[in-house]
Amino acid sequence: MCLGMPRFLRQFGLRTLLIFCTLAAVCFGLWRWHMTWVDQQHEVASQIADEGGSIRWKTWGPQWIHQAFGSYYFSEIVAVDLNHKRIGSKYLQLLRQIPTLEELYLPGTDLQGQSLEVLGDLPKLRKLALWNTRLKNDTLQHVGRLKHLDTLDIHRTAMTEAGLVHLRNHPRLKVIRHDMQISEVGVDHLSTIKNLQMTHLVLHGGREKTFRQLREDFRVLVLKVKAPETDQWAKYLAGHPTLVQLNVSDALVQNDQLAGLLSANTLQTLSLQNVPMDDTAISQIASATRLTRLSLSGTDVTGTGLLNSLGPSATEVVIRNNWIKLIDRSAKRDVDWSGSLTAADLPALANCRQATSLTFYSTNFPGTIDFTFLPELKSLEKIRIGFVADGPIMKNMGSLKKLETVVLFLYSNVTPDELAELASAKSLEVLVLPVSKVSDEHLKAIGTITQLKRLSIQGASVTDEGMSSIVALMNLEELDIAGCLQLTDESLRYVGQLKKLRKLDIANTNTTDEGLEYLYGMPNLSYVETTGTRLTTEGLRKLYDSLR
């Protein structure tokens, strides 16, 4: 026995003591190795920062260790972001020293495919972004070996669907963001990735087998199909468990299968372009209650057929050259249709009995425009009409008891008698006639619509004498006579008599400080637009002082 040995060690045998010392040495060695490794990690992080990259760290271990010793030696790099940084293959080798890396972002870098061999030393990588690079299919050879990868972004690269062969049967990949053209070859590769959840997929062509795979193997949200090689596509996409948006172009379809697609009631957005569906198929859309967006272009659906089927539920209607938009506020649905639209389709607007707003704008509308359908639209509150054509409009508006707003622009043929018809529309409060041929005679007729609260005759050819007619509009709160170049200061004599007027626009007129005196002391006037006039700062100050 060694008499010099401390008493607390004498109770242990030599073998136990040797084991204890060995374990202590191993632990010390491991800790020393870990300290060296962490120092190296910080050195790598410093080099990445010097190149403009960013690092994200993750700490590990119980909180008391961090409180006692700090977090320096209890953290590891989990993310590196080199977004649009000028780095070369040699610099990328730094990543080999970060086996803890879980996320790597390399978009916009000027890397070559062989430089991505470094991925083989990153076994924990879960997210990889390579978008906006010149990388090609050979890159995916290295990506496919990342067994923990769940998110891959390769849009705006030179990669094609042929490269997807390297991702076949990937065990964990869930998200692939790309913009490559996919055919049945790409669909076949992607269908082997069982956990894949596609947000967007663009398919070119595709036979019946391809669409069967889309239904059975793909959890896709948005699908765009171009020129499918089968007319059975609608059968396989009907009731797809995840699909919410479908865009199909240049495709044949069977009416009964399209009806089945709609009746499955799973889609929220449907766009059909150059798909020969007809008025029979459109009648099924009313039952698709989840559908919030419908776009039809180049189909066999007629304007009359659209208005007959979907017009009764529309709350807003917009008609333009060869274009109809129907908005159903109660169902939160928008319908856009484009096709051959003529005057013969307009009587079908009588179906839109729930519409509160109608906008009709055309510069080249075939046929004689007839607005005799207007009295049927008894819910109308707002009408906007803009075109240059013959034919009366106003006489069909007087019976609309809920009508509040009428806007006529680019209309050159409205007569004073037609305007006078609006006096019987007792709810009418707003009349806007911009860029229309309004004369003193028209203004005299407008003076009979005493319920008006807002009037705009911007750019009209009216004179001071004609302005005397607005004195009868004692309920007027807003008046726009901007650009009426024939008016002088004398016209404001009549404006000053409108005691309820709050807003006045006299921009680009010949008004001077002398004319402003007619506006002094108006009880409710709070805003005057004077751009482009000959008014002085002093004249405006006197006006505003009088209105306080």
Side-chain angles (χ1 to χ4, degrees):
M1 177 180 292
C2 181
L3 297 177
M5 183 181 293
R7 179 177 299 177
F8 78 93
L9 290 176
R10 294 174 188 171
Q11 57 185 316
F12 296 105
L14 182 60
R15 180 180 296 176
T16 303
L17 187 59
L18 287 173
I19 293 173
F20 176 81
C21 292
T22 300
L23 288 174
V26 170
C27 290
F28 178 79
L30 289 173
W31 177 246
R32 185 61 187 169
W33 172 86
H34 176 73
M35 292 173 64
T36 303
W37 180 81
V38 171
D39 288 338
Q40 291 176 344
Q41 295 288 284
H42 282 274
E43 176 61 27
V44 170
S46 177
Q47 294 182 57
I48 292 175
D50 289 342
E51 296 295 326
S54 60
I55 296 289
R56 189 169 78 248
W57 297 79
K58 182 176 70 175
T59 58
W60 55 274
Q63 187 63 31
W64 65 267
I65 291 181
H66 295 273
Q67 293 175 344
F69 302 103
S71 298
Y72 183 89
Y73 289 110
F74 301 95
S75 59
E76 58 190 20
I77 299 174
V78 293
V80 172
D81 188 347
L82 296 167
N83 192 336
H84 287 80
K85 300 299 183 293
R86 294 184 177 275
I87 60 171
S89 300
K90 183 178 179 181
Y91 180 81
L92 202 61
Q93 299 305 311
L94 287 172
L95 299 178
R96 295 187 186 276
Q97 303 177 48
I98 317 176
T100 58
L101 200 61
E102 298 179 10
E103 302 177 19
L104 177 58
Y105 302 94
L106 301 172
T109 52
D110 193 25
L111 297 173
Q112 302 299 320
Q114 62 270 21
S115 62
L116 270 295
E117 292 179 358
V118 68
L119 296 178
D121 294 321
L122 304 175
K124 293 186 178 181
L125 204 62
R126 295 185 300 103
K127 295 183 178 181
L128 177 62
L130 304 173
W131 56 272
N132 196 27
T133 64
R134 293 182 294 175
L135 295 172
K136 300 180 180 179
N137 288 341
D138 57 342
T139 301
L140 294 178
Q141 297 179 31
H142 310 297
V143 174
R145 300 189 183 106
L146 299 171
K147 301 307 179 184
H148 286 82
L149 192 69
D150 59 44
T151 302
L152 174 64
D153 192 337
I154 53 175
H155 75 278
R156 295 172 63 188
T157 68
M159 301 180 197
T160 67
E161 64 175 349
L164 297 175
V165 66
H166 301 296
L167 303 180
R168 288 181 69 91
N169 298 304
H170 195 285
R172 296 194 179 184
L173 197 57
K174 291 183 178 180
V175 178
I176 301 179
R177 299 187 180 97
H178 70 92
D179 52 8
M180 63 181 66
Q181 292 190 7
I182 297 294
S183 68
E184 58 186 27
V185 174
V187 169
D188 190 54
H189 292 326
L190 293 173
S191 65
T192 66
I193 308 174
K194 297 305 180 184
N195 293 315
L196 192 61
Q197 301 176 7
M198 301 289 290
T199 54
H200 291 72
L201 181 64
V202 179
L203 174 64
H204 291 253
R207 291 174 290 184
E208 195 166 343
K209 173 192 172 185
T210 304
F211 285 94
R212 187 183 299 113
Q213 288 176 308
L214 285 175
R215 179 176 180 83
E216 296 174 356
D217 301 325
F218 280 78
R219 286 177 283 180
V220 61
L221 298 177
V222 179
L223 176 62
K224 296 183 179 180
V225 180
K226 297 182 179 180
E229 300 172 41
T230 174
D231 64 354
Q232 303 290 307
W233 56 268
K235 178 179 72 172
Y236 291 103
L237 298 181
H240 190 287
T242 60
L243 188 63
V244 295
Q245 179 174 329
L246 176 62
N247 299 60
V248 182
S249 61
D250 302 305
L252 297 175
V253 69
Q254 295 186 20
N255 267 355
D256 60 333
Q257 294 183 5
L258 184 59
L261 179 69
L262 294 168
S263 63
N265 201 27
T266 57
L267 292 176
Q268 297 177 12
T269 299
L270 176 61
S271 175
L272 301 176
Q273 182 178 5
N274 298 329
V275 176
M277 63 181 294
D278 57 22
D279 291 344
T280 302
I282 199 72
S283 63
Q284 301 290 329
I285 292 177
S287 62
T289 56
R290 291 191 64 191
L291 196 65
T292 59
R293 184 82 173 85
L294 173 65
S295 178
L296 303 174
S297 175
T299 68
D300 293 332
V301 175
T302 65
T304 298
L306 181 79
L307 293 170
N308 286 341
S309 296
L310 301 180
S313 61
T315 55
E316 296 182 31
V317 180
V318 181
I319 306 288
R320 296 181 184 268
N321 293 340
N322 296 323
W323 181 68
I324 298 177
K325 185 178 186 67
L326 302 177
I327 300 174
D328 184 346
R329 293 297 182 191
S330 59
K332 298 180 179 179
R333 175 186 294 162
D334 289 5
V335 177
D336 280 284
W337 171 92
S338 60
S340 179
L341 187 63
T342 69
D345 295 300
L346 295 188
L349 283 167
N351 293 297
C352 305
R353 291 182 174 84
Q354 294 188 48
T356 59
S357 173
L358 170 64
T359 298
F360 186 97
Y361 180 83
S362 176
T363 56
N364 185 23
F365 200 85
T368 301
I369 300 175
D370 185 356
F371 285 91
T372 55
F373 61 84
L374 279 178
E376 300 295 325
L377 309 184
K378 299 186 182 303
S379 297
L380 273 185
E381 299 173 1
K382 182 179 296 185
I383 296 177
R384 303 181 186 91
I385 296 178
F387 68 103
V388 180
D390 295 323
I393 298 177
M394 300 297 184
K395 71 175 185 178
N396 297 308
M397 295 185 187
S399 62
L400 300 176
K401 302 304 180 184
K402 295 184 178 181
L403 190 62
E404 298 176 357
T405 301
V406 172
V407 180
L408 293 181
F409 49 97
L410 293 177
Y411 187 69
S412 59
N413 297 298
V414 62
T415 66
D417 289 341
E418 286 184 82
L419 286 172
E421 292 280 344
L422 292 178
S424 58
K426 298 302 182 182
S427 296
L428 185 64
E429 295 183 348
V430 178
L431 178 60
V432 180
L433 301 167
V435 201
S436 296
K437 291 186 178 180
V438 176
S439 65
D440 288 352
E441 289 300 314
H442 290 92
L443 204 51
K444 183 176 181 181
I446 292 173
T448 65
I449 315 173
T450 56
Q451 68 271 27
L452 282 182
K453 292 185 178 181
R454 177 189 170 196
L455 173 63
S456 173
I457 53 171
Q458 197 174 108
S461 300
V462 295
T463 66
D464 295 340
E465 182 180 353
M467 285 291 289
S468 63
S469 300
I470 69 169
V471 174
L473 304 179
M474 298 309 296
N475 291 304
L476 209 60
E477 298 177 2
E478 299 181 27
L479 176 62
D480 182 358
I481 52 175
C484 296
L485 299 180
Q486 296 187 42
L487 296 180
T488 69
D489 290 335
E490 189 66 20
S491 65
L492 297 186
R493 176 192 300 274
Y494 308 108
V495 175
Q497 299 178 46
L498 302 173
K499 302 305 181 183
K500 293 185 179 181
L501 198 67
R502 297 184 295 104
K503 296 178 64 176
L504 174 64
D505 190 341
I506 53 175
N508 301 310
T509 62
N510 297 313
T511 306
T512 68
D513 291 351
E514 184 177 346
L516 289 185
E517 295 178 10
Y518 292 116
L519 307 180
Y520 286 179
M522 291 187 70
N524 291 292
L525 190 62
S526 60
Y527 177 84
V528 181
E529 176 58 57
T530 61
T531 304
T533 63
R534 293 183 291 171
L535 298 172
T536 67
T537 302
E538 179 63 19
L540 290 172
R541 185 189 63 78
K542 290 181 178 179
L543 171 63
Y544 293 139
D545 286 345
S546 75
L547 298 177
R548 291 179 180 176

PDB file of all heavy atoms in Angstrom, residues 165-180:
ATOM      1  N   VAL A 165     -35.419  12.480 -62.327  1.00  0.00           N
ATOM      2  CA  VAL A 165     -35.165  11.051 -62.133  1.00  0.00           C
ATOM      3  C   VAL A 165     -34.290  10.819 -60.900  1.00  0.00           C
ATOM      4  O   VAL A 165     -34.380   9.765 -60.250  1.00  0.00           O
ATOM      5  CB  VAL A 165     -34.495  10.458 -63.400  1.00  0.00           C
ATOM      6  CG1 VAL A 165     -33.095  11.039 -63.605  1.00  0.00           C
ATOM      7  CG2 VAL A 165     -34.442   8.945 -63.321  1.00  0.00           C
ATOM      8  N   HIS A 166     -33.467  11.810 -60.545  1.00  0.00           N
ATOM      9  CA  HIS A 166     -32.579  11.681 -59.381  1.00  0.00           C
ATOM     10  C   HIS A 166     -33.328  11.847 -58.059  1.00  0.00           C
ATOM     11  O   HIS A 166     -32.762  11.587 -56.989  1.00  0.00           O
ATOM     12  CB  HIS A 166     -31.456  12.715 -59.465  1.00  0.00           C
ATOM     13  CG  HIS A 166     -30.615  12.591 -60.688  1.00  0.00           C
ATOM     14  ND1 HIS A 166     -29.832  11.494 -60.960  1.00  0.00           N
ATOM     15  CD2 HIS A 166     -30.449  13.450 -61.749  1.00  0.00           C
ATOM     16  CE1 HIS A 166     -29.203  11.666 -62.116  1.00  0.00           C
ATOM     17  NE2 HIS A 166     -29.568  12.843 -62.619  1.00  0.00           N
ATOM     18  N   LEU A 167     -34.582  12.273 -58.139  1.00  0.00           N
ATOM     19  CA  LEU A 167     -35.379  12.452 -56.915  1.00  0.00           C
ATOM     20  C   LEU A 167     -36.404  11.346 -56.725  1.00  0.00           C
ATOM     21  O   LEU A 167     -37.177  11.376 -55.760  1.00  0.00           O
ATOM     22  CB  LEU A 167     -36.095  13.812 -56.955  1.00  0.00           C
ATOM     23  CG  LEU A 167     -35.214  15.055 -57.124  1.00  0.00           C
ATOM     24  CD1 LEU A 167     -36.079  16.316 -57.141  1.00  0.00           C
ATOM     25  CD2 LEU A 167     -34.159  15.152 -56.031  1.00  0.00           C
ATOM     26  N   ARG A 168     -36.418  10.390 -57.595  1.00  0.00           N
ATOM     27  CA  ARG A 168     -37.405   9.307 -57.495  1.00  0.00           C
ATOM     28  C   ARG A 168     -37.305   8.601 -56.150  1.00  0.00           C
ATOM     29  O   ARG A 168     -36.218   8.331 -55.639  1.00  0.00           O
ATOM     30  CB  ARG A 168     -37.204   8.293 -58.627  1.00  0.00           C
ATOM     31  CG  ARG A 168     -37.617   8.794 -59.995  1.00  0.00           C
ATOM     32  CD  ARG A 168     -37.406   7.727 -61.053  1.00  0.00           C
ATOM     33  NE  ARG A 168     -38.352   6.616 -60.882  1.00  0.00           N
ATOM     34  CZ  ARG A 168     -39.529   6.544 -61.466  1.00  0.00           C
ATOM     35  NH1 ARG A 168     -39.946   7.533 -62.258  1.00  0.00           N
ATOM     36  NH2 ARG A 168     -40.328   5.505 -61.278  1.00  0.00           N
ATOM     37  N   ASN A 169     -38.484   8.328 -55.572  1.00  0.00           N
ATOM     38  CA  ASN A 169     -38.599   7.578 -54.310  1.00  0.00           C
ATOM     39  C   ASN A 169     -37.881   8.266 -53.151  1.00  0.00           C
ATOM     40  O   ASN A 169     -37.472   7.601 -52.192  1.00  0.00           O
ATOM     41  CB  ASN A 169     -38.051   6.157 -54.475  1.00  0.00           C
ATOM     42  CG  ASN A 169     -38.830   5.365 -55.499  1.00  0.00           C
ATOM     43  OD1 ASN A 169     -40.046   5.217 -55.404  1.00  0.00           O
ATOM     44  ND2 ASN A 169     -38.127   4.869 -56.511  1.00  0.00           N
ATOM     45  N   HIS A 170     -37.731   9.573 -53.223  1.00  0.00           N
ATOM     46  CA  HIS A 170     -37.100  10.276 -52.100  1.00  0.00           C
ATOM     47  C   HIS A 170     -37.952  10.076 -50.849  1.00  0.00           C
ATOM     48  O   HIS A 170     -39.168  10.233 -50.867  1.00  0.00           O
ATOM     49  CB  HIS A 170     -36.963  11.763 -52.409  1.00  0.00           C
ATOM     50  CG  HIS A 170     -36.034  12.475 -51.485  1.00  0.00           C
ATOM     51  ND1 HIS A 170     -36.360  12.797 -50.192  1.00  0.00           N
ATOM     52  CD2 HIS A 170     -34.755  12.916 -51.667  1.00  0.00           C
ATOM     53  CE1 HIS A 170     -35.346  13.422 -49.615  1.00  0.00           C
ATOM     54  NE2 HIS A 170     -34.363  13.511 -50.487  1.00  0.00           N
ATOM     55  N   PRO A 171     -37.334   9.754 -49.709  1.00  0.00           N
ATOM     56  CA  PRO A 171     -38.118   9.356 -48.532  1.00  0.00           C
ATOM     57  C   PRO A 171     -38.818  10.489 -47.787  1.00  0.00           C
ATOM     58  O   PRO A 171     -39.828  10.252 -47.118  1.00  0.00           O
ATOM     59  CB  PRO A 171     -37.073   8.691 -47.632  1.00  0.00           C
ATOM     60  CG  PRO A 171     -35.777   9.339 -48.020  1.00  0.00           C
ATOM     61  CD  PRO A 171     -35.877   9.593 -49.495  1.00  0.00           C
ATOM     62  N   ARG A 172     -38.306  11.736 -47.892  1.00  0.00           N
ATOM     63  CA  ARG A 172     -38.858  12.793 -47.040  1.00  0.00           C
ATOM     64  C   ARG A 172     -39.256  14.065 -47.791  1.00  0.00           C
ATOM     65  O   ARG A 172     -39.850  14.961 -47.201  1.00  0.00           O
ATOM     66  CB  ARG A 172     -37.856  13.170 -45.951  1.00  0.00           C
ATOM     67  CG  ARG A 172     -37.564  12.041 -44.982  1.00  0.00           C
ATOM     68  CD  ARG A 172     -36.861  12.549 -43.755  1.00  0.00           C
ATOM     69  NE  ARG A 172     -36.587  11.471 -42.803  1.00  0.00           N
ATOM     70  CZ  ARG A 172     -36.037  11.635 -41.598  1.00  0.00           C
ATOM     71  NH1 ARG A 172     -35.701  12.852 -41.213  1.00  0.00           N
ATOM     72  NH2 ARG A 172     -35.827  10.611 -40.806  1.00  0.00           N
ATOM     73  N   LEU A 173     -38.928  14.179 -49.038  1.00  0.00           N
ATOM     74  CA  LEU A 173     -39.187  15.410 -49.781  1.00  0.00           C
ATOM     75  C   LEU A 173     -40.684  15.711 -49.822  1.00  0.00           C
ATOM     76  O   LEU A 173     -41.486  14.889 -50.249  1.00  0.00           O
ATOM     77  CB  LEU A 173     -38.636  15.276 -51.202  1.00  0.00           C
ATOM     78  CG  LEU A 173     -38.458  16.571 -51.995  1.00  0.00           C
ATOM     79  CD1 LEU A 173     -37.559  17.545 -51.248  1.00  0.00           C
ATOM     80  CD2 LEU A 173     -37.887  16.263 -53.365  1.00  0.00           C
ATOM     81  N   LYS A 174     -41.040  16.923 -49.369  1.00  0.00           N
ATOM     82  CA  LYS A 174     -42.439  17.341 -49.328  1.00  0.00           C
ATOM     83  C   LYS A 174     -42.753  18.475 -50.304  1.00  0.00           C
ATOM     84  O   LYS A 174     -43.824  18.509 -50.897  1.00  0.00           O
ATOM     85  CB  LYS A 174     -42.815  17.785 -47.909  1.00  0.00           C
ATOM     86  CG  LYS A 174     -42.851  16.670 -46.885  1.00  0.00           C
ATOM     87  CD  LYS A 174     -43.306  17.219 -45.539  1.00  0.00           C
ATOM     88  CE  LYS A 174     -43.387  16.114 -44.500  1.00  0.00           C
ATOM     89  NZ  LYS A 174     -43.832  16.639 -43.177  1.00  0.00           N
ATOM     90  N   VAL A 175     -41.820  19.413 -50.437  1.00  0.00           N
ATOM     91  CA  VAL A 175     -42.090  20.615 -51.228  1.00  0.00           C
ATOM     92  C   VAL A 175     -40.999  20.790 -52.282  1.00  0.00           C
ATOM     93  O   VAL A 175     -39.815  20.786 -51.960  1.00  0.00           O
ATOM     94  CB  VAL A 175     -42.147  21.873 -50.339  1.00  0.00           C
ATOM     95  CG1 VAL A 175     -42.369  23.126 -51.184  1.00  0.00           C
ATOM     96  CG2 VAL A 175     -43.256  21.735 -49.297  1.00  0.00           C
ATOM     97  N   ILE A 176     -41.414  20.922 -53.543  1.00  0.00           N
ATOM     98  CA  ILE A 176     -40.513  21.282 -54.633  1.00  0.00           C
ATOM     99  C   ILE A 176     -41.087  22.517 -55.312  1.00  0.00           C
ATOM    100  O   ILE A 176     -42.170  22.458 -55.892  1.00  0.00           O
ATOM    101  CB  ILE A 176     -40.363  20.156 -55.669  1.00  0.00           C
ATOM    102  CG1 ILE A 176     -39.827  18.877 -55.033  1.00  0.00           C
ATOM    103  CG2 ILE A 176     -39.406  20.602 -56.786  1.00  0.00           C
ATOM    104  CD1 ILE A 176     -39.695  17.727 -56.014  1.00  0.00           C
ATOM    105  N   ARG A 177     -40.373  23.614 -55.232  1.00  0.00           N
ATOM    106  CA  ARG A 177     -40.804  24.835 -55.917  1.00  0.00           C
ATOM    107  C   ARG A 177     -40.023  24.929 -57.230  1.00  0.00           C
ATOM    108  O   ARG A 177     -38.798  24.985 -57.220  1.00  0.00           O
ATOM    109  CB  ARG A 177     -40.557  26.069 -55.052  1.00  0.00           C
ATOM    110  CG  ARG A 177     -41.325  26.033 -53.739  1.00  0.00           C
ATOM    111  CD  ARG A 177     -41.190  27.342 -52.979  1.00  0.00           C
ATOM    112  NE  ARG A 177     -41.925  27.305 -51.724  1.00  0.00           N
ATOM    113  CZ  ARG A 177     -41.386  27.035 -50.549  1.00  0.00           C
ATOM    114  NH1 ARG A 177     -40.084  26.777 -50.472  1.00  0.00           N
ATOM    115  NH2 ARG A 177     -42.100  27.007 -49.452  1.00  0.00           N
ATOM    116  N   HIS A 178     -40.743  24.969 -58.349  1.00  0.00           N
ATOM    117  CA  HIS A 178     -40.095  24.976 -59.650  1.00  0.00           C
ATOM    118  C   HIS A 178     -41.007  25.651 -60.659  1.00  0.00           C
ATOM    119  O   HIS A 178     -42.186  25.901 -60.389  1.00  0.00           O
ATOM    120  CB  HIS A 178     -39.793  23.537 -60.099  1.00  0.00           C
ATOM    121  CG  HIS A 178     -41.042  22.765 -60.438  1.00  0.00           C
ATOM    122  ND1 HIS A 178     -41.555  22.721 -61.708  1.00  0.00           N
ATOM    123  CD2 HIS A 178     -41.883  22.046 -59.653  1.00  0.00           C
ATOM    124  CE1 HIS A 178     -42.651  21.988 -61.706  1.00  0.00           C
ATOM    125  NE2 HIS A 178     -42.884  21.569 -60.474  1.00  0.00           N
ATOM    126  N   ASP A 179     -40.460  25.947 -61.836  1.00  0.00           N
ATOM    127  CA  ASP A 179     -41.270  26.487 -62.931  1.00  0.00           C
ATOM    128  C   ASP A 179     -40.962  25.758 -64.237  1.00  0.00           C
ATOM    129  O   ASP A 179     -41.187  26.300 -65.314  1.00  0.00           O
ATOM    130  CB  ASP A 179     -41.050  27.993 -63.080  1.00  0.00           C
ATOM    131  CG  ASP A 179     -39.577  28.362 -63.196  1.00  0.00           C
ATOM    132  OD1 ASP A 179     -38.737  27.438 -63.310  1.00  0.00           O
ATOM    133  OD2 ASP A 179     -39.261  29.562 -63.172  1.00  0.00           O
ATOM    134  N   MET A 180     -40.441  24.555 -64.141  1.00  0.00           N
ATOM    135  CA  MET A 180     -40.116  23.779 -65.329  1.00  0.00           C
ATOM    136  C   MET A 180     -41.378  23.237 -65.991  1.00  0.00           C
ATOM    137  O   MET A 180     -42.418  23.074 -65.341  1.00  0.00           O
ATOM    138  CB  MET A 180     -39.172  22.622 -64.970  1.00  0.00           C
ATOM    139  CG  MET A 180     -39.766  21.603 -64.019  1.00  0.00           C
ATOM    140  SD  MET A 180     -38.612  20.256 -63.599  1.00  0.00           S
ATOM    141  CE  MET A 180     -37.341  21.122 -62.684  1.00  0.00           C
TER     142      MET A 180
END
